[in-house]
Short mmCIF file of all heavy atoms in Angstrom, two decimals:
data_model
loop_
_atom_site.label_atom_id
_atom_site.label_comp_id
_atom_site.label_asym_id
_atom_site.label_seq_id
_atom_site.Cartn_x
_atom_site.Cartn_y
_atom_site.Cartn_z
N PRO A 24 -139.48 -68.62 88.14
CA PRO A 24 -138.44 -68.47 89.17
C PRO A 24 -137.59 -67.22 88.98
O PRO A 24 -137.17 -66.61 89.98
CB PRO A 24 -137.61 -69.74 89.04
CG PRO A 24 -137.89 -70.26 87.68
CD PRO A 24 -139.29 -69.84 87.34
N GLU A 25 -137.35 -66.81 87.75
CA GLU A 25 -136.55 -65.60 87.53
C GLU A 25 -137.28 -64.37 88.05
O GLU A 25 -136.67 -63.51 88.68
CB GLU A 25 -136.20 -65.42 86.04
CG GLU A 25 -135.32 -66.49 85.46
CD GLU A 25 -136.09 -67.72 84.97
OE1 GLU A 25 -137.35 -67.69 84.92
OE2 GLU A 25 -135.44 -68.73 84.66
N GLU A 26 -138.58 -64.30 87.80
CA GLU A 26 -139.37 -63.16 88.27
C GLU A 26 -139.42 -63.12 89.80
O GLU A 26 -139.31 -62.06 90.39
CB GLU A 26 -140.79 -63.21 87.70
CG GLU A 26 -140.87 -62.82 86.24
CD GLU A 26 -140.62 -63.98 85.27
OE1 GLU A 26 -140.11 -65.05 85.71
OE2 GLU A 26 -140.91 -63.81 84.08
N SER A 27 -139.59 -64.28 90.43
CA SER A 27 -139.64 -64.29 91.90
C SER A 27 -138.30 -63.86 92.48
O SER A 27 -138.24 -63.10 93.46
CB SER A 27 -140.07 -65.65 92.44
OG SER A 27 -139.16 -66.66 92.11
N HIS A 28 -137.23 -64.31 91.86
CA HIS A 28 -135.89 -63.94 92.30
C HIS A 28 -135.67 -62.43 92.14
O HIS A 28 -135.25 -61.74 93.09
CB HIS A 28 -134.85 -64.73 91.49
CG HIS A 28 -133.45 -64.52 91.94
ND1 HIS A 28 -132.57 -63.70 91.27
CD2 HIS A 28 -132.77 -65.01 93.00
CE1 HIS A 28 -131.42 -63.70 91.89
NE2 HIS A 28 -131.50 -64.49 92.95
N ASP A 29 -135.96 -61.90 90.97
CA ASP A 29 -135.79 -60.47 90.71
C ASP A 29 -136.67 -59.63 91.62
O ASP A 29 -136.24 -58.60 92.15
CB ASP A 29 -136.10 -60.13 89.25
CG ASP A 29 -135.06 -60.68 88.29
OD1 ASP A 29 -133.95 -61.05 88.73
OD2 ASP A 29 -135.37 -60.73 87.08
N PHE A 30 -137.93 -60.07 91.82
CA PHE A 30 -138.84 -59.32 92.67
C PHE A 30 -138.28 -59.19 94.08
O PHE A 30 -138.24 -58.10 94.65
CB PHE A 30 -140.23 -59.97 92.72
CG PHE A 30 -141.20 -59.16 93.50
CD1 PHE A 30 -141.96 -58.19 92.87
CD2 PHE A 30 -141.33 -59.32 94.87
CE1 PHE A 30 -142.84 -57.39 93.61
CE2 PHE A 30 -142.20 -58.54 95.60
CZ PHE A 30 -142.95 -57.57 94.97
N SER A 31 -137.86 -60.31 94.64
CA SER A 31 -137.38 -60.28 96.03
C SER A 31 -136.08 -59.49 96.17
O SER A 31 -135.89 -58.78 97.16
CB SER A 31 -137.22 -61.69 96.58
OG SER A 31 -136.36 -62.46 95.78
N LEU A 32 -135.21 -59.58 95.19
CA LEU A 32 -133.95 -58.82 95.26
C LEU A 32 -134.17 -57.32 95.15
O LEU A 32 -133.39 -56.54 95.70
CB LEU A 32 -132.99 -59.28 94.15
CG LEU A 32 -132.36 -60.66 94.33
CD1 LEU A 32 -131.50 -61.00 93.11
CD2 LEU A 32 -131.53 -60.73 95.61
N ASN A 33 -135.23 -56.90 94.46
CA ASN A 33 -135.47 -55.48 94.23
C ASN A 33 -136.58 -54.89 95.08
O ASN A 33 -136.92 -53.72 94.93
CB ASN A 33 -135.80 -55.26 92.74
CG ASN A 33 -134.59 -55.54 91.88
OD1 ASN A 33 -133.54 -54.94 92.06
ND2 ASN A 33 -134.73 -56.48 90.95
N ALA A 34 -137.15 -55.67 95.97
CA ALA A 34 -138.30 -55.21 96.75
C ALA A 34 -137.98 -53.96 97.58
O ALA A 34 -138.75 -52.99 97.57
CB ALA A 34 -138.81 -56.33 97.65
N VAL A 35 -136.87 -53.97 98.28
CA VAL A 35 -136.52 -52.81 99.11
C VAL A 35 -136.34 -51.57 98.24
O VAL A 35 -136.87 -50.50 98.54
CB VAL A 35 -135.25 -53.10 99.95
CG1 VAL A 35 -134.76 -51.84 100.66
CG2 VAL A 35 -135.52 -54.20 100.97
N LYS A 36 -135.61 -51.72 97.15
CA LYS A 36 -135.37 -50.61 96.22
C LYS A 36 -136.69 -50.06 95.68
O LYS A 36 -136.81 -48.86 95.42
CB LYS A 36 -134.47 -51.08 95.07
CG LYS A 36 -134.17 -50.01 94.04
CD LYS A 36 -133.30 -50.54 92.92
CE LYS A 36 -134.19 -51.29 91.97
NZ LYS A 36 -133.56 -51.75 90.76
N ASN A 37 -137.70 -50.92 95.54
CA ASN A 37 -138.99 -50.52 95.02
C ASN A 37 -139.95 -50.02 96.09
O ASN A 37 -141.14 -49.82 95.83
CB ASN A 37 -139.62 -51.67 94.23
CG ASN A 37 -138.85 -51.95 92.95
OD1 ASN A 37 -138.27 -51.05 92.34
ND2 ASN A 37 -138.81 -53.21 92.55
N GLY A 38 -139.45 -49.81 97.30
CA GLY A 38 -140.24 -49.20 98.36
C GLY A 38 -141.15 -50.13 99.13
O GLY A 38 -141.96 -49.69 99.95
N ILE A 39 -141.02 -51.40 98.91
CA ILE A 39 -141.87 -52.37 99.61
C ILE A 39 -141.32 -52.58 101.02
O ILE A 39 -140.12 -52.65 101.22
CB ILE A 39 -141.93 -53.69 98.81
CG1 ILE A 39 -142.67 -53.41 97.49
CG2 ILE A 39 -142.61 -54.79 99.60
CD1 ILE A 39 -142.49 -54.46 96.45
N GLU A 40 -142.24 -52.69 101.99
CA GLU A 40 -141.82 -52.84 103.39
C GLU A 40 -142.25 -54.16 104.01
O GLU A 40 -141.66 -54.60 104.99
CB GLU A 40 -142.35 -51.66 104.20
CG GLU A 40 -141.74 -50.34 103.72
CD GLU A 40 -142.34 -49.14 104.38
OE1 GLU A 40 -143.42 -48.69 103.92
OE2 GLU A 40 -141.75 -48.67 105.36
N VAL A 41 -143.28 -54.78 103.47
CA VAL A 41 -143.75 -56.09 103.92
C VAL A 41 -144.24 -56.82 102.68
O VAL A 41 -144.81 -56.21 101.78
CB VAL A 41 -144.90 -55.98 104.95
CG1 VAL A 41 -145.40 -57.37 105.36
CG2 VAL A 41 -144.48 -55.20 106.17
N ILE A 42 -144.03 -58.15 102.65
CA ILE A 42 -144.48 -58.95 101.51
C ILE A 42 -145.39 -60.06 102.03
O ILE A 42 -145.03 -60.79 102.96
CB ILE A 42 -143.29 -59.57 100.76
CG1 ILE A 42 -142.32 -58.49 100.29
CG2 ILE A 42 -143.79 -60.41 99.58
CD1 ILE A 42 -141.01 -59.02 99.72
N ILE A 43 -146.57 -60.17 101.42
CA ILE A 43 -147.49 -61.27 101.70
C ILE A 43 -147.42 -62.21 100.50
O ILE A 43 -147.53 -61.77 99.35
CB ILE A 43 -148.94 -60.77 101.89
CG1 ILE A 43 -149.03 -59.84 103.10
CG2 ILE A 43 -149.91 -61.94 102.01
CD1 ILE A 43 -150.37 -59.12 103.24
N CYS A 44 -147.24 -63.50 100.77
CA CYS A 44 -147.16 -64.50 99.70
C CYS A 44 -148.25 -65.54 99.88
O CYS A 44 -148.23 -66.29 100.86
CB CYS A 44 -145.79 -65.18 99.70
SG CYS A 44 -144.43 -64.09 99.30
N ALA A 45 -149.18 -65.59 98.94
CA ALA A 45 -150.26 -66.58 98.97
C ALA A 45 -149.91 -67.71 98.03
O ALA A 45 -149.54 -67.48 96.88
CB ALA A 45 -151.58 -65.94 98.56
N ALA A 46 -150.02 -68.93 98.53
CA ALA A 46 -149.71 -70.08 97.69
C ALA A 46 -150.39 -71.33 98.24
O ALA A 46 -150.66 -71.43 99.43
CB ALA A 46 -148.20 -70.31 97.62
N GLY A 47 -150.66 -72.25 97.33
CA GLY A 47 -151.27 -73.51 97.70
C GLY A 47 -150.36 -74.67 97.36
O GLY A 47 -149.31 -74.51 96.74
N LYS A 48 -150.76 -75.85 97.81
CA LYS A 48 -150.05 -77.10 97.58
C LYS A 48 -148.62 -77.02 98.12
O LYS A 48 -148.43 -76.87 99.31
CB LYS A 48 -150.11 -77.50 96.12
CG LYS A 48 -151.53 -77.74 95.65
CD LYS A 48 -151.60 -78.19 94.22
CE LYS A 48 -153.07 -78.40 93.85
NZ LYS A 48 -153.26 -78.67 92.46
N ALA A 49 -147.61 -77.10 97.26
CA ALA A 49 -146.21 -77.08 97.74
C ALA A 49 -145.89 -75.75 98.41
O ALA A 49 -145.06 -75.69 99.31
CB ALA A 49 -145.25 -77.34 96.59
N ALA A 50 -146.53 -74.66 97.99
CA ALA A 50 -146.49 -73.36 98.65
C ALA A 50 -145.08 -72.85 98.96
O ALA A 50 -144.80 -72.42 100.06
CB ALA A 50 -147.34 -73.39 99.92
#
């Protein structure tokens, strides 16, 4: 959870413009 939180908070700063999230079950 810490990595997902940090990733999403820093995505714009890291130049990301769209995020695709693949997940199964609770997803």
Side-chain angles (χ1 to χ4, degrees):
E25 295 86 8
E26 285 86 346
S27 63
H28 185 258
D29 291 344
F30 184 90
S31 56
L32 288 177
N33 293 303
V35 172
K36 180 181 80 174
N37 292 328
I39 294 164
E40 296 174 278
V41 178
I42 303 171
I43 297 171
C44 294
K48 298 182 180 173

